């Protein structure tokens, strides 16, 4: 048997915190996307852990859907990044201040 | 819980190694200046998560994790990074918002400590087992159970997923399409091309009256600057000089 769920949940929380920190600190849009992927993976790890602990297939099914949504999100997000880069030649989030009052 | 007691030494070693790999990969994503290094650190994290899935008997999800994340999403990231230019590294030291990074670090540390303290001391109320379907009934593999769950219980969500993927593909195509009618102010990358086109033209048009008019300084300036506006001004000055003469 595997070790207890508390360790997995602690690891997932730490990974989620790392991803949130990256989104707050970094300014490159691509790296911010990667940090969002880190947070999604932390949530997936939590789902799988609870699925094992509760003997429930629902958590694993939800991980499947999270994977699909993450793939769609990355496709659209990177399309937006490329479209912005084509107009402004920059991938830094600070340069996107077109709607600043 | 009984699972706490039944942990064996290989399980503990696997978990510790994977935790180190996952967290170091995450730190690499957050800290690395080069976006390619960040993407490769992301691969490290995703593999660690996949091994942790195997450790928790979610074999199908581990395979899907490696194939979809490491095989498709990270490759897409790397493709876009290469497409936009590999050599642009972020200047990590400059801080546009004063004191933002220490504040973010402190807030994240407080939140993480709060979550860990709460989950260590509070009572968990998620006690109901086998709500959406049992994972342990019978001797089926997790792939069988997952497929059965997705194609029966979550069938409509699965169909909505297909719609979502179609929308994402159409959106990506629309975003990546170059607009057919391009105005001059919309097309930012075309400006340097105009500069280059104006550069060689300007000395020729400016130097044509120069042998008669005798203004080599203005023509030389236009050649050095190589800008269309300077060349236009120089040509205008030369023509004015011609009219005055």
């Amino acid at each position: 048997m595997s070790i207890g769920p508390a360790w997995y949940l602690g690891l997932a929380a730490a990974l989620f915190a790392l991803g949130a920190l990256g989104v707050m600190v970094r300014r490159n849009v691509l790296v911010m996307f990667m940090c969002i992927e880190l947070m999604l993976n932390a949530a997936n790890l939590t789902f799988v852990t609870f699925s094992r602990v509760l003997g429930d297939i629902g958590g694993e099914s939800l991980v499947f859907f999270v994977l699909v949504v993450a793939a769609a999100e990355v496709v659209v997000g990177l399309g937006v990044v490329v479209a912005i880069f084509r107009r402004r030649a920059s991938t830094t989030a600070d340069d996107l201040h077109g709607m600043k009052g | 819980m009984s699972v706490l007691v039944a942990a064996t030494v290989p399980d503990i070693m696997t978990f510790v190694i994977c935790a180190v790999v996952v967290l170091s990969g995450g730190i690499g994503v957050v800290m690395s200046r080069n976006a390619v290094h960040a993407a490769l650190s992301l691969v490290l994290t995703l593999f660690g998560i996949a091994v942790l899935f195997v450790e928790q008997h979610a074999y199908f999800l581990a395979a899907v994790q490696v194939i979809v994340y490491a095989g498709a999403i990270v490759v897409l990231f790397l493709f876009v990074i290469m497409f936009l230019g590999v050599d642009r590294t972020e200047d990590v030291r400059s801080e546009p918002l004063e004191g933002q990074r220490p504040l973010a670090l402190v807030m994240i540390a407080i939140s993480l400590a709060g979550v860990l303290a709460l989950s260590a001391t509070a009572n968990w109320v998620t006690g109901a087992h086998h709500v959406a379907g049992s994972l342990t009934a019978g001797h089926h593999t997790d792939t069988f159970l997952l497929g059965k769950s997705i194609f029966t219980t979550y069938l409509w969500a699965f169909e909505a997923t297909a719609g979502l993927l179609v929308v994402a593909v159409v959106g990506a195509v629309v975003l990546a399409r170059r607009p057919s009618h391009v105005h001059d102010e919309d097309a930012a990358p075309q400006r340097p091309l105009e500069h280059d086109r104006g550069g060689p033209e300007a000395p020729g048009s400016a130097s044509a009256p120069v042998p008669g008019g005798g203004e080599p300084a203005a023509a030389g300036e236009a050649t050095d600057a190589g800008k269309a506006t300077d060349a236009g001004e120089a040509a205008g000055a030369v023509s004015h000089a011609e009219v005055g003469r």
Side-chain angles (χ1 to χ4, degrees):
Chain A
M1 285 297 285
S2 309
I3 65 172
W7 294 97
Y8 284 98
L9 297 178
L11 175 64
L15 189 61
F16 191 93
L18 263 178
L21 181 70
V23 170
M24 284 194 226
V25 163
R26 293 305 295 264
R27 289 182 291 140
N28 191 339
V29 181
L30 290 166
V31 180
M32 288 166 83
F33 262 114
M34 292 180 205
C35 293
I36 291 175
E37 298 302 318
L38 285 187
M39 289 193 280
L40 285 171
N41 270 282
N44 280 351
L45 187 58
T46 310
F47 273 130
V48 170
T49 303
F50 275 120
S51 173
R52 170 176 66 98
V53 170
L54 300 177
D56 198 322
I57 195 66
E60 296 198 5
S61 309
L62 212 47
V63 169
F64 186 80
F65 291 121
V66 168
L67 278 169
V68 176
V69 171
E73 170 243 341
V74 164
V75 166
V76 176
L78 291 183
V80 170
V81 168
V82 169
I84 289 174
F85 182 82
R86 196 179 285 156
R87 291 190 59 138
R88 312 192 64 116
S90 163
T91 55
T92 304
D94 288 335
D95 294 339
L96 306 176
H97 47 64
M99 293 179 74
K100 188 169 152 190
Chain B
M1 285 187 201
S2 61
V3 275
L4 273 175
V5 184
T8 58
V9 175
D11 288 330
I12 295 173
M13 280 177 59
T14 309
F15 177 79
V16 169
I17 291 172
C18 286
V20 169
V21 164
V22 163
L23 288 181
S24 58
I27 290 172
V29 171
V30 175
M31 300 281 283
S32 63
R33 292 174 59 188
N34 197 332
V36 177
H37 297 168
L40 296 179
S41 303
L42 184 64
V43 173
L44 201 64
T45 299
L46 299 176
F47 267 107
I49 296 276
V51 174
L52 287 179
F53 282 177
V54 170
E55 178 70 15
Q56 306 200 66
H57 311 290
Y59 305 110
F60 179 74
L61 286 180
V64 169
Q65 170 96 359
V66 170
I67 292 169
V68 172
Y69 262 117
I73 291 183
V74 174
V75 167
L76 200 61
F77 269 118
L78 284 174
F79 184 82
V80 171
I81 291 167
M82 302 287 174
F83 179 68
L84 300 185
V86 198
D87 50 344
R88 52 179 73 243
T89 55
E90 186 181 344
D91 189 11
V92 187
R93 277 169 303 173
S94 83
E95 204 174 2
L97 212 60
E98 206 54 43
Q100 184 214 3
R101 285 191 188 136
L103 190 63
L105 201 60
V106 166
M107 282 172 59
I108 288 293
I110 288 174
S111 306
L112 181 61
V115 165
L116 291 182
L118 272 181
S119 52
T121 57
N123 288 321
W124 292 4
V125 291
T126 55
H129 287 227
H130 316 316
V131 176
S134 176
L135 198 58
T136 50
H139 293 285
H140 297 299
T141 61
D142 65 317
T143 313
F144 176 87
L145 289 170
L146 190 59
K148 199 176 162 190
S149 167
I150 283 174
F151 286 112
T152 56
T153 312
Y154 299 108
L155 182 62
W156 286 111
F158 184 71
E159 297 292 337
T161 298
L164 175 74
L165 283 178
V166 170
V167 169
V169 168
V170 171
V173 168
V174 168
L175 281 172
R177 198 170 50 114
R178 204 172 275 279
S180 55
H181 54 287
V182 179
H183 301 298
D184 283 342
E185 63 268 22
D186 279 351
Q190 286 190 355
R191 280 182 197 152
L193 290 181
E194 283 177 17
H195 286 254
D196 288 343
R197 220 181 295 129
E201 246 179 38
S205 64
S207 64
V210 160
E215 275 196 14
E221 271 180 15
T223 315
D224 285 341
K227 288 183 180 175
T229 55
D230 286 355
E233 281 174 13
V238 166
S239 62
H240 279 307
E242 244 182 7
V243 167
R245 186 164 55 101

